[in-house]
Amino acid sequence: MRQACLAIATAAVLLAPATAPAAYDPLEAVNRRVHAFNALAQEHVLAPMAALWRTHVPEGWRRGIGQAVANLGEPVTAASGLAAGEPAVAGQALLRFGINTTLGLGGVRDAAAEWGWPRRPFAPGDAVCAWGVPSGPYLVLPLLGPSSLRDATAGFAANAALAQGLGIAPVAAWQGSDGFLAYAAAEEALRRIEAQSLDPYAVLRSAWRQRRAVSCAVDAAAAAQE
């Protein structure tokens, strides 16, 4: 689920206001260690892999593969929408999955978006947010980056349920591919943050908390209207 991944954190940094309320971070000491591990993993593993990806895979193929991987997440979006009491979100996700899996060659082509049904990301964390579950403490997950206790718990529960039905290997492969593609798209911005910020950890934490609070409020408001 990309809401816990580094791409979301990067987008939050680029759009966040200059000031922010203090984050609830009682696990800061552990989180900073995980952040340092993630930075090393990015520098020595993910960045070289992303460079090979961009160098050896043509842009059109990269786009198609990314869309196919994202298409596999539409059933999760649908289940999350149903859990949140948002049938419109669930219906659009199922419609997109059906169209793109068949007419979009497994999702390589986003035919549904071309016909007026764009992707609307909605993760398990959004579902529990819609029911008023508080965010809980800030967490930094290994390789995945910024999250919260609420979002991480919901995501892990969803993955465990998927693994029960589909097997651990395909779920791990999908999640790994999704996370890598998100990192590859966000790599340049993350490099700038690490290079230009006096405290990259604090910058990512503040921005992610703001961005997540806004998106969760939007989700809750949408659920109340439907």
Side-chain angles (χ1 to χ4, degrees), residues 165-216:
L166 302 177
I168 295 176
V171 173
W174 168 54
Q175 287 287 310
S177 300
D178 190 52
F180 171 74
L181 292 172
Y183 169 77
E187 180 190 8
E188 184 178 349
L190 286 170
R191 282 183 178 275
R192 288 201 305 269
I193 294 165
E194 291 289 340
Q196 299 174 8
S197 302
L198 293 176
D199 188 354
Y201 170 84
V203 171
L204 284 171
R205 178 186 62 188
S206 175
W208 187 89
R209 293 281 292 190
Q210 290 179 78
R211 179 76 171 185
R212 190 67 183 104
V214 170
S215 64
C216 189

Short mmCIF file of all heavy atoms in Angstrom, two decimals, residues 165-216:
data_model
loop_
_atom_site.label_atom_id
_atom_site.label_comp_id
_atom_site.label_asym_id
_atom_site.label_seq_id
_atom_site.Cartn_x
_atom_site.Cartn_y
_atom_site.Cartn_z
N GLY A 165 -5.11 -16.12 1.73
CA GLY A 165 -5.88 -16.53 0.57
C GLY A 165 -5.06 -16.82 -0.67
O GLY A 165 -5.39 -17.72 -1.45
N LEU A 166 -3.98 -16.06 -0.86
CA LEU A 166 -3.20 -16.17 -2.10
C LEU A 166 -1.83 -16.80 -1.91
O LEU A 166 -1.21 -17.21 -2.89
CB LEU A 166 -3.01 -14.77 -2.71
CG LEU A 166 -4.29 -13.99 -3.03
CD1 LEU A 166 -3.94 -12.60 -3.54
CD2 LEU A 166 -5.13 -14.73 -4.06
N GLY A 167 -1.36 -16.84 -0.68
CA GLY A 167 -0.02 -17.33 -0.42
C GLY A 167 0.93 -16.17 -0.14
O GLY A 167 0.74 -15.05 -0.63
N ILE A 168 1.96 -16.46 0.64
CA ILE A 168 2.89 -15.41 1.04
C ILE A 168 3.70 -14.91 -0.14
O ILE A 168 3.93 -13.70 -0.30
CB ILE A 168 3.83 -15.93 2.16
CG1 ILE A 168 3.02 -16.25 3.41
CG2 ILE A 168 4.91 -14.92 2.47
CD1 ILE A 168 3.83 -16.86 4.52
N ALA A 169 4.17 -15.81 -1.00
CA ALA A 169 5.08 -15.42 -2.08
C ALA A 169 4.47 -14.40 -3.04
O ALA A 169 5.11 -13.36 -3.32
CB ALA A 169 5.55 -16.66 -2.84
N PRO A 170 3.26 -14.62 -3.58
CA PRO A 170 2.72 -13.61 -4.51
C PRO A 170 2.44 -12.28 -3.85
O PRO A 170 2.63 -11.22 -4.46
CB PRO A 170 1.44 -14.26 -5.04
CG PRO A 170 1.10 -15.34 -4.08
CD PRO A 170 2.40 -15.82 -3.52
N VAL A 171 1.99 -12.30 -2.59
CA VAL A 171 1.73 -11.04 -1.90
C VAL A 171 3.03 -10.29 -1.65
O VAL A 171 3.10 -9.07 -1.85
CB VAL A 171 0.98 -11.30 -0.56
CG1 VAL A 171 0.84 -10.01 0.24
CG2 VAL A 171 -0.39 -11.89 -0.83
N ALA A 172 4.07 -11.01 -1.23
CA ALA A 172 5.37 -10.37 -1.01
C ALA A 172 5.93 -9.80 -2.31
O ALA A 172 6.51 -8.71 -2.33
CB ALA A 172 6.34 -11.36 -0.38
N ALA A 173 5.77 -10.54 -3.40
CA ALA A 173 6.26 -10.07 -4.69
C ALA A 173 5.54 -8.81 -5.13
O ALA A 173 6.16 -7.85 -5.63
CB ALA A 173 6.11 -11.17 -5.74
N TRP A 174 4.22 -8.79 -4.95
CA TRP A 174 3.45 -7.60 -5.32
C TRP A 174 3.84 -6.40 -4.47
O TRP A 174 4.10 -5.31 -4.98
CB TRP A 174 1.96 -7.89 -5.18
CG TRP A 174 1.10 -6.66 -5.26
CD1 TRP A 174 1.10 -5.74 -6.28
CD2 TRP A 174 0.15 -6.21 -4.29
NE1 TRP A 174 0.19 -4.73 -5.99
CE2 TRP A 174 -0.40 -5.00 -4.79
CE3 TRP A 174 -0.30 -6.72 -3.08
CZ2 TRP A 174 -1.37 -4.29 -4.08
CZ3 TRP A 174 -1.27 -6.02 -2.38
CH2 TRP A 174 -1.79 -4.82 -2.89
N GLN A 175 3.91 -6.60 -3.15
CA GLN A 175 4.26 -5.50 -2.26
C GLN A 175 5.67 -5.00 -2.53
O GLN A 175 5.92 -3.79 -2.52
CB GLN A 175 4.14 -5.96 -0.80
CG GLN A 175 2.72 -6.13 -0.32
CD GLN A 175 2.03 -4.77 -0.12
OE1 GLN A 175 2.55 -3.87 0.51
NE2 GLN A 175 0.85 -4.63 -0.69
N GLY A 176 6.60 -5.93 -2.77
CA GLY A 176 7.97 -5.51 -3.07
C GLY A 176 8.06 -4.72 -4.35
O GLY A 176 8.76 -3.70 -4.43
N SER A 177 7.35 -5.18 -5.38
CA SER A 177 7.36 -4.46 -6.65
C SER A 177 6.73 -3.08 -6.52
O SER A 177 7.25 -2.09 -7.04
CB SER A 177 6.60 -5.27 -7.70
OG SER A 177 7.19 -6.53 -7.90
N ASP A 178 5.62 -3.01 -5.80
CA ASP A 178 4.93 -1.74 -5.60
C ASP A 178 5.82 -0.76 -4.84
O ASP A 178 5.93 0.41 -5.21
CB ASP A 178 3.63 -1.99 -4.82
CG ASP A 178 2.74 -0.77 -4.77
OD1 ASP A 178 2.45 -0.20 -5.83
OD2 ASP A 178 2.33 -0.39 -3.66
N GLY A 179 6.48 -1.24 -3.80
CA GLY A 179 7.36 -0.37 -3.03
C GLY A 179 8.56 0.10 -3.82
O GLY A 179 8.95 1.27 -3.74
N PHE A 180 9.14 -0.78 -4.62
CA PHE A 180 10.30 -0.39 -5.42
C PHE A 180 9.92 0.65 -6.47
O PHE A 180 10.64 1.63 -6.68
CB PHE A 180 10.92 -1.60 -6.11
CG PHE A 180 11.98 -1.23 -7.11
CD1 PHE A 180 13.22 -0.79 -6.68
CD2 PHE A 180 11.72 -1.30 -8.47
CE1 PHE A 180 14.20 -0.42 -7.60
CE2 PHE A 180 12.69 -0.93 -9.40
CZ PHE A 180 13.92 -0.50 -8.96
N LEU A 181 8.80 0.47 -7.13
CA LEU A 181 8.36 1.42 -8.14
C LEU A 181 8.08 2.78 -7.51
O LEU A 181 8.37 3.83 -8.10
CB LEU A 181 7.12 0.89 -8.86
CG LEU A 181 7.35 -0.33 -9.74
CD1 LEU A 181 6.01 -0.89 -10.23
CD2 LEU A 181 8.25 0.00 -10.92
N ALA A 182 7.52 2.77 -6.30
CA ALA A 182 7.27 4.02 -5.60
C ALA A 182 8.59 4.72 -5.26
O ALA A 182 8.73 5.94 -5.42
CB ALA A 182 6.47 3.76 -4.33
N TYR A 183 9.55 3.93 -4.80
CA TYR A 183 10.86 4.52 -4.47
C TYR A 183 11.52 5.10 -5.73
O TYR A 183 12.08 6.21 -5.70
CB TYR A 183 11.79 3.49 -3.84
CG TYR A 183 13.20 4.02 -3.77
CD1 TYR A 183 13.56 4.94 -2.79
CD2 TYR A 183 14.14 3.65 -4.72
CE1 TYR A 183 14.84 5.46 -2.76
CE2 TYR A 183 15.42 4.17 -4.69
CZ TYR A 183 15.76 5.08 -3.70
OH TYR A 183 17.03 5.62 -3.69
N ALA A 184 11.50 4.35 -6.84
CA ALA A 184 12.14 4.81 -8.06
C ALA A 184 11.57 6.15 -8.52
O ALA A 184 12.30 7.03 -9.00
CB ALA A 184 11.99 3.76 -9.16
N ALA A 185 10.26 6.33 -8.34
CA ALA A 185 9.64 7.58 -8.73
C ALA A 185 10.02 8.72 -7.80
O ALA A 185 10.05 9.89 -8.20
CB ALA A 185 8.12 7.42 -8.77
N ALA A 186 10.31 8.40 -6.54
CA ALA A 186 10.57 9.43 -5.52
C ALA A 186 12.04 9.64 -5.25
O ALA A 186 12.40 10.52 -4.47
CB ALA A 186 9.87 9.04 -4.22
N GLU A 187 12.90 8.87 -5.88
CA GLU A 187 14.31 8.85 -5.50
C GLU A 187 14.97 10.23 -5.54
O GLU A 187 15.66 10.63 -4.59
CB GLU A 187 15.09 7.90 -6.42
CG GLU A 187 16.56 7.83 -6.06
CD GLU A 187 17.37 7.10 -7.11
OE1 GLU A 187 16.81 6.77 -8.17
OE2 GLU A 187 18.57 6.87 -6.86
N GLU A 188 14.77 10.98 -6.60
CA GLU A 188 15.45 12.26 -6.73
C GLU A 188 15.05 13.22 -5.61
O GLU A 188 15.90 13.91 -5.02
CB GLU A 188 15.14 12.89 -8.09
CG GLU A 188 15.89 14.19 -8.33
CD GLU A 188 15.61 14.77 -9.70
OE1 GLU A 188 15.00 14.08 -10.55
OE2 GLU A 188 15.99 15.94 -9.94
N ALA A 189 13.76 13.28 -5.30
CA ALA A 189 13.31 14.17 -4.24
C ALA A 189 13.85 13.74 -2.89
O ALA A 189 14.24 14.58 -2.06
CB ALA A 189 11.79 14.21 -4.22
N LEU A 190 13.90 12.43 -2.64
CA LEU A 190 14.44 11.95 -1.37
C LEU A 190 15.92 12.29 -1.24
O LEU A 190 16.39 12.63 -0.14
CB LEU A 190 14.23 10.44 -1.27
CG LEU A 190 12.80 9.98 -0.99
CD1 LEU A 190 12.69 8.47 -1.17
CD2 LEU A 190 12.37 10.39 0.40
N ARG A 191 16.65 12.20 -2.32
CA ARG A 191 18.06 12.56 -2.29
C ARG A 191 18.24 14.04 -1.91
O ARG A 191 19.13 14.39 -1.13
CB ARG A 191 18.70 12.30 -3.64
CG ARG A 191 19.03 10.84 -3.93
CD ARG A 191 19.72 10.72 -5.29
NE ARG A 191 20.10 9.37 -5.58
CZ ARG A 191 21.24 8.80 -5.18
NH1 ARG A 191 22.08 9.49 -4.42
NH2 ARG A 191 21.53 7.55 -5.52
N ARG A 192 17.38 14.89 -2.46
CA ARG A 192 17.48 16.31 -2.15
C ARG A 192 17.20 16.57 -0.67
O ARG A 192 17.86 17.39 -0.04
CB ARG A 192 16.51 17.12 -3.02
CG ARG A 192 16.91 17.22 -4.48
CD ARG A 192 16.23 18.41 -5.14
NE ARG A 192 14.80 18.38 -4.98
CZ ARG A 192 13.96 17.80 -5.84
NH1 ARG A 192 14.44 17.19 -6.92
NH2 ARG A 192 12.65 17.82 -5.64
N ILE A 193 16.21 15.87 -0.14
CA ILE A 193 15.87 16.05 1.27
C ILE A 193 17.05 15.64 2.15
O ILE A 193 17.43 16.36 3.09
CB ILE A 193 14.62 15.23 1.62
CG1 ILE A 193 13.40 15.78 0.90
CG2 ILE A 193 14.38 15.22 3.13
CD1 ILE A 193 12.22 14.84 0.90
N GLU A 194 17.65 14.49 1.87
CA GLU A 194 18.78 14.02 2.67
C GLU A 194 19.97 14.96 2.56
O GLU A 194 20.70 15.17 3.53
CB GLU A 194 19.18 12.61 2.23
CG GLU A 194 18.17 11.52 2.57
CD GLU A 194 18.12 11.23 4.07
OE1 GLU A 194 19.08 11.57 4.79
OE2 GLU A 194 17.11 10.66 4.52
N ALA A 195 20.16 15.55 1.37
CA ALA A 195 21.33 16.39 1.15
C ALA A 195 21.16 17.81 1.69
O ALA A 195 22.12 18.43 2.16
CB ALA A 195 21.66 16.44 -0.33
N GLN A 196 19.93 18.34 1.64
CA GLN A 196 19.73 19.76 1.93
C GLN A 196 19.13 20.04 3.30
O GLN A 196 19.15 21.18 3.76
CB GLN A 196 18.82 20.37 0.85
CG GLN A 196 19.41 20.29 -0.55
CD GLN A 196 18.45 20.75 -1.63
OE1 GLN A 196 17.38 21.27 -1.34
NE2 GLN A 196 18.82 20.54 -2.88
N SER A 197 18.61 19.03 3.99
CA SER A 197 17.96 19.26 5.27
C SER A 197 18.95 19.04 6.42
O SER A 197 19.74 18.09 6.39
CB SER A 197 16.77 18.32 5.44
OG SER A 197 15.84 18.48 4.40
N LEU A 198 18.89 19.90 7.42
CA LEU A 198 19.70 19.71 8.61
C LEU A 198 19.27 18.46 9.36
O LEU A 198 20.08 17.77 9.97
CB LEU A 198 19.61 20.94 9.52
CG LEU A 198 20.22 22.23 8.97
CD1 LEU A 198 19.97 23.38 9.93
CD2 LEU A 198 21.71 22.05 8.71
N ASP A 199 17.96 18.17 9.34
CA ASP A 199 17.43 16.99 10.02
C ASP A 199 16.38 16.35 9.11
O ASP A 199 15.18 16.60 9.26
CB ASP A 199 16.81 17.38 11.36
CG ASP A 199 16.41 16.17 12.20
OD1 ASP A 199 16.51 15.04 11.69
OD2 ASP A 199 15.99 16.36 13.36
N PRO A 200 16.82 15.52 8.15
CA PRO A 200 15.86 14.91 7.22
C PRO A 200 14.76 14.12 7.92
O PRO A 200 13.61 14.12 7.46
CB PRO A 200 16.74 14.00 6.36
CG PRO A 200 18.11 14.57 6.47
CD PRO A 200 18.20 15.13 7.85
N TYR A 201 15.09 13.47 9.02
CA TYR A 201 14.07 12.71 9.74
C TYR A 201 12.93 13.61 10.19
O TYR A 201 11.76 13.30 10.00
CB TYR A 201 14.71 12.02 10.95
CG TYR A 201 13.70 11.40 11.89
CD1 TYR A 201 13.19 10.12 11.64
CD2 TYR A 201 13.25 12.08 13.02
CE1 TYR A 201 12.25 9.56 12.49
CE2 TYR A 201 12.31 11.52 13.87
CZ TYR A 201 11.82 10.26 13.60
OH TYR A 201 10.88 9.71 14.44
N ALA A 202 13.27 14.74 10.80
CA ALA A 202 12.24 15.66 11.30
C ALA A 202 11.42 16.24 10.16
O ALA A 202 10.21 16.45 10.29
CB ALA A 202 12.88 16.77 12.13
N VAL A 203 12.08 16.53 9.03
CA VAL A 203 11.37 17.09 7.87
C VAL A 203 10.34 16.08 7.35
O VAL A 203 9.17 16.42 7.14
CB VAL A 203 12.37 17.46 6.77
CG1 VAL A 203 11.62 17.83 5.48
CG2 VAL A 203 13.25 18.62 7.21
N LEU A 204 10.76 14.84 7.17
CA LEU A 204 9.84 13.82 6.68
C LEU A 204 8.70 13.56 7.67
O LEU A 204 7.55 13.43 7.28
CB LEU A 204 10.60 12.52 6.42
CG LEU A 204 11.45 12.48 5.16
CD1 LEU A 204 12.32 11.23 5.16
CD2 LEU A 204 10.60 12.53 3.91
N ARG A 205 9.04 13.52 8.94
CA ARG A 205 8.01 13.27 9.96
C ARG A 205 6.96 14.37 9.96
O ARG A 205 5.75 14.09 9.92
CB ARG A 205 8.66 13.17 11.34
CG ARG A 205 7.67 12.95 12.48
CD ARG A 205 8.38 13.01 13.82
NE ARG A 205 8.99 14.32 14.04
CZ ARG A 205 9.80 14.59 15.07
NH1 ARG A 205 10.11 13.63 15.94
NH2 ARG A 205 10.31 15.80 15.21
N SER A 206 7.40 15.62 10.00
CA SER A 206 6.46 16.74 10.06
C SER A 206 5.58 16.78 8.82
O SER A 206 4.36 16.92 8.91
CB SER A 206 7.24 18.05 10.20
OG SER A 206 6.36 19.15 10.15
N ALA A 207 6.19 16.63 7.67
CA ALA A 207 5.43 16.73 6.42
C ALA A 207 4.47 15.56 6.26
O ALA A 207 3.33 15.74 5.83
CB ALA A 207 6.38 16.80 5.24
N TRP A 208 4.93 14.35 6.59
CA TRP A 208 4.05 13.19 6.45
C TRP A 208 2.84 13.31 7.37
O TRP A 208 1.72 13.02 6.96
CB TRP A 208 4.81 11.90 6.76
CG TRP A 208 3.98 10.68 6.46
CD1 TRP A 208 3.90 10.01 5.28
CD2 TRP A 208 3.09 10.01 7.36
NE1 TRP A 208 3.01 8.96 5.38
CE2 TRP A 208 2.50 8.94 6.64
CE3 TRP A 208 2.73 10.21 8.69
CZ2 TRP A 208 1.58 8.07 7.22
CZ3 TRP A 208 1.81 9.35 9.27
CH2 TRP A 208 1.25 8.28 8.54
N ARG A 209 3.04 13.75 8.61
CA ARG A 209 1.93 13.88 9.54
C ARG A 209 0.90 14.89 9.04
O ARG A 209 -0.31 14.65 9.13
CB ARG A 209 2.45 14.31 10.92
CG ARG A 209 3.32 13.29 11.62
CD ARG A 209 2.55 12.19 12.27
NE ARG A 209 1.76 12.65 13.40
CZ ARG A 209 1.14 11.85 14.25
NH1 ARG A 209 1.21 10.54 14.11
NH2 ARG A 209 0.42 12.32 15.24
N GLN A 210 1.37 16.00 8.50
CA GLN A 210 0.45 17.00 7.96
C GLN A 210 -0.34 16.44 6.79
O GLN A 210 -1.57 16.56 6.72
CB GLN A 210 1.21 18.24 7.52
CG GLN A 210 1.80 19.05 8.65
CD GLN A 210 2.56 20.24 8.10
OE1 GLN A 210 1.97 21.23 7.72
NE2 GLN A 210 3.86 20.12 8.04
N ARG A 211 0.38 15.85 5.86
CA ARG A 211 -0.25 15.32 4.65
C ARG A 211 -1.27 14.23 4.99
O ARG A 211 -2.37 14.19 4.45
CB ARG A 211 0.83 14.77 3.73
CG ARG A 211 0.35 14.17 2.44
CD ARG A 211 -0.06 15.23 1.45
NE ARG A 211 -0.32 14.66 0.15
CZ ARG A 211 -0.60 15.37 -0.93
NH1 ARG A 211 -0.63 16.67 -0.87
NH2 ARG A 211 -0.85 14.78 -2.08
N ARG A 212 -0.89 13.35 5.92
CA ARG A 212 -1.78 12.25 6.28
C ARG A 212 -3.01 12.76 7.00
O ARG A 212 -4.12 12.24 6.82
CB ARG A 212 -1.02 11.25 7.17
CG ARG A 212 -1.80 9.96 7.39
CD ARG A 212 -1.93 9.18 6.10
NE ARG A 212 -2.74 7.97 6.26
CZ ARG A 212 -3.99 7.85 5.85
NH1 ARG A 212 -4.60 8.86 5.24
NH2 ARG A 212 -4.64 6.71 6.02
N ALA A 213 -2.83 13.79 7.85
CA ALA A 213 -3.99 14.36 8.54
C ALA A 213 -4.98 14.95 7.55
O ALA A 213 -6.19 14.79 7.70
CB ALA A 213 -3.52 15.43 9.53
N VAL A 214 -4.47 15.60 6.52
CA VAL A 214 -5.35 16.18 5.51
C VAL A 214 -6.07 15.09 4.73
O VAL A 214 -7.29 15.13 4.54
CB VAL A 214 -4.54 17.08 4.55
CG1 VAL A 214 -5.40 17.50 3.36
CG2 VAL A 214 -4.02 18.31 5.29
N SER A 215 -5.35 14.06 4.26
CA SER A 215 -5.97 13.01 3.46
C SER A 215 -6.97 12.22 4.28
O SER A 215 -8.03 11.83 3.80
CB SER A 215 -4.91 12.08 2.88
OG SER A 215 -4.20 11.40 3.90
N CYS A 216 -6.68 12.01 5.55
CA CYS A 216 -7.61 11.26 6.41
C CYS A 216 -8.88 12.08 6.64
O CYS A 216 -9.98 11.53 6.65
CB CYS A 216 -6.94 10.94 7.75
SG CYS A 216 -7.88 9.80 8.77
#
